[in-house]
Amino acid sequence: MRGIRVDRRSILAGLLVSAAATPLTGGALAQGNPLPSWNEGLSKKSILDFVSAVTKEGAPDFVPAPERIATFDNDGTLWCEQPMYVQLAFALDRVKALSGKHPEWRRKQPFQAVLDNDLASLAKAGEKGLVELVMATHAGMTTADFEKIAGDWIASARHPKFDKPYTDLVYQPMLELLAYLRSNGFKTFIVSGGGIDFMRPWSERVYGIPPEQVVGSSIKTQFKIDNGVAQLIRLPAIDFVDDGPGKPVGINSHIGRRPIAAFGNSDGDFQMLQWATLSPGKRFGLIVHHTDAAREYAYDRKSPFGKLDKALDAADSNGWIMVSMKDDWKRIFGFQ
């Protein structure tokens, strides 16, 4: 995807993205070493100390179980987001799959750029072009039809670098963290710039997070009775973009409680981290820093996907834990 440099919010205004792998059960992780894929060090100790502090009854930082809310970004935090957001790859493949029914796309940008694998021209299309791609590939169908199309794609698509299903590219240390938190009375939520309808079909299977605990970007839908069957039709219009300052809004709308812990990896998570940590009481913020080019990717300030710049500078002053994938994780993926 070299050459595409569109800011995260622009992509999400048209993309609505995300996720997957096999969740671990909390009971097994609660015994012995709860985070076996984490190296000993500040990051792991900070997680364990935080959980101990908020779960010990009678302690000054104790938090009742209903208030133990933890929110996780998805792309780049729970699974791989390079060389492009997974839902962007899905949208591009959808254009190719539908091109036989739309011969006019061969002469119309940005569709022509997708069909010609012309990434430079696709980048020039900007936000408007990306929105046009998504509206043509994600709308005009029932929510059930979209769920099946997305599910079939995620079951067969393979990552270009690792040649494995995208659902294998979930971070093993984060799966362990999700299970560990749940074993200690936390309720875990995905709060992603990705599409809510793209994530919900498999979030429970791969993360142990049920669909009602997924917050994401969305397009508008319309209720309709068709031959006696009640359906929701996906419309070609953006409803909500759950990224940047939209994340605290989405959390408030969907969850109704302020999280006491938030986990992200990019500037798109900056406001979510602020919302979770800039409040009285024991709070926890963590940023996954992609520093391992050998086992995954190394990127931050200049990446067109998952850019980490503003949040990188603000981490120390806000007390957020910066996790180095290279130094803090024994392994990144379950297959390693």
Side-chain angles (χ1 to χ4, degrees):
M1 205 63 185
R2 188 178 302 167
I4 291 187
R5 297 196 62 83
V6 183
D7 68 66
R8 169 74 163 168
R9 192 167 179 82
S10 294
I11 291 175
L12 295 171
L15 249 278
L16 321 174
V17 202
S18 260
T22 304
L24 301 175
T25 58
L29 294 179
Q31 304 173 6
N33 181 3
L35 302 173
S37 295
W38 293 70
N39 288 320
E40 300 299 325
L42 176 62
S43 295
K44 182 175 180 177
K45 184 178 186 301
S46 297
I47 294 169
L48 298 177
D49 288 349
F50 169 74
V51 171
S52 176
V54 299
T55 58
K56 186 176 181 180
E57 290 195 46
D61 294 319
F62 175 73
V63 176
E67 298 175 20
R68 294 177 205 162
I69 303 297
T71 56
F72 288 77
D73 169 58
N74 185 53
D75 296 299
T77 301
L78 294 179
W79 79 337
C80 184
E81 65 183 351
Q82 297 289 347
M84 69 180 79
Y85 299 127
V86 177
Q87 199 168 348
L88 175 55
F90 168 67
L92 299 185
D93 280 356
R94 284 292 294 156
V95 169
K96 295 174 183 178
L98 294 171
S99 62
K101 298 180 181 179
H102 297 276
E104 73 278 8
W105 286 356
R106 280 289 176 188
R107 302 178 301 279
K108 181 182 179 182
Q109 294 291 11
F111 302 95
Q112 181 181 351
V114 175
L115 297 174
D116 292 341
N117 294 313
D118 183 356
L119 301 184
S121 295
L122 181 59
K124 292 178 183 178
E127 177 182 346
K128 182 177 181 296
L130 290 171
V131 170
E132 190 173 2
L133 289 178
V134 170
M135 293 305 100
T137 59
H138 286 48
M141 67 190 80
T142 68
T143 52
D145 287 341
F146 180 79
E147 178 178 333
K148 184 180 186 308
I149 290 168
D152 289 346
W153 181 85
I154 203 70
S156 61
R158 300 182 75 86
H159 189 276
K161 175 178 178 178
F162 297 99
D163 192 29
K164 290 183 178 293
Y166 286 102
T167 49
D168 283 359
L169 294 223
V170 175
Y171 304 136
Q172 183 67 25
M174 298 304 283
L175 288 177
E176 295 168 3
L177 177 56
L178 285 167
Y180 175 58
L181 290 175
R182 289 194 289 265
S183 74
N184 281 277
F186 279 79
K187 183 176 283 190
T188 54
F189 291 81
I190 292 175
V191 180
S192 172
I196 193 168
D197 291 329
F198 190 75
M199 294 180 284
R200 280 178 166 173
W202 57 73
S203 64
E204 189 163 24
R205 172 175 59 86
V206 302
Y207 293 137
I209 297 178
E212 64 270 21
Q213 290 170 214
V214 175
V215 182
S217 300
S218 60
I219 67 175
K220 292 182 178 181
T221 57
Q222 182 181 64
F223 178 74
K224 181 181 179 182
I225 300 292
D226 187 6
N227 294 324
V229 178
Q231 297 178 332
L232 287 174
I233 307 299
R234 294 170 60 85
L235 304 176
I238 299 296
D239 180 40
F240 178 67
V241 176
D242 188 58
D243 193 55
K247 288 199 173 187
V249 175
I251 290 169
N252 184 65
S253 297
H254 287 262
I255 302 174
R257 291 184 186 271
R258 186 191 295 244
I260 65 169
F263 304 83
N265 78 293
S266 73
D267 285 357
D269 307 313
F270 186 77
Q271 288 84 359
M272 178 175 73
L273 287 159
Q274 289 180 313
W275 178 239
T277 61
L278 301 184
S279 182
K282 190 72 171 177
R283 302 278 166 166
F284 189 82
L286 182 148
I287 294 174
V288 175
H289 191 189
H290 293 260
T291 56
D292 199 323
R295 293 185 297 174
E296 199 232 18
Y297 294 91
Y299 61 96
D300 45 42
R301 298 187 191 274
K302 296 183 179 181
S303 177
F305 303 105
K307 179 180 178 180
L308 177 64
D309 186 24
K310 183 179 179 181
L312 184 62
D313 291 335
D316 284 344
S317 61
N318 285 282
W320 301 334
I321 300 300
M322 186 67 64
V323 170
S324 166
M325 295 175 75
K326 182 178 181 179
D327 298 330
D328 290 320
W329 288 357
K330 293 179 182 177
R331 59 175 175 166
I332 293 178
F333 304 117
F335 57 82
Q336 291 176 331

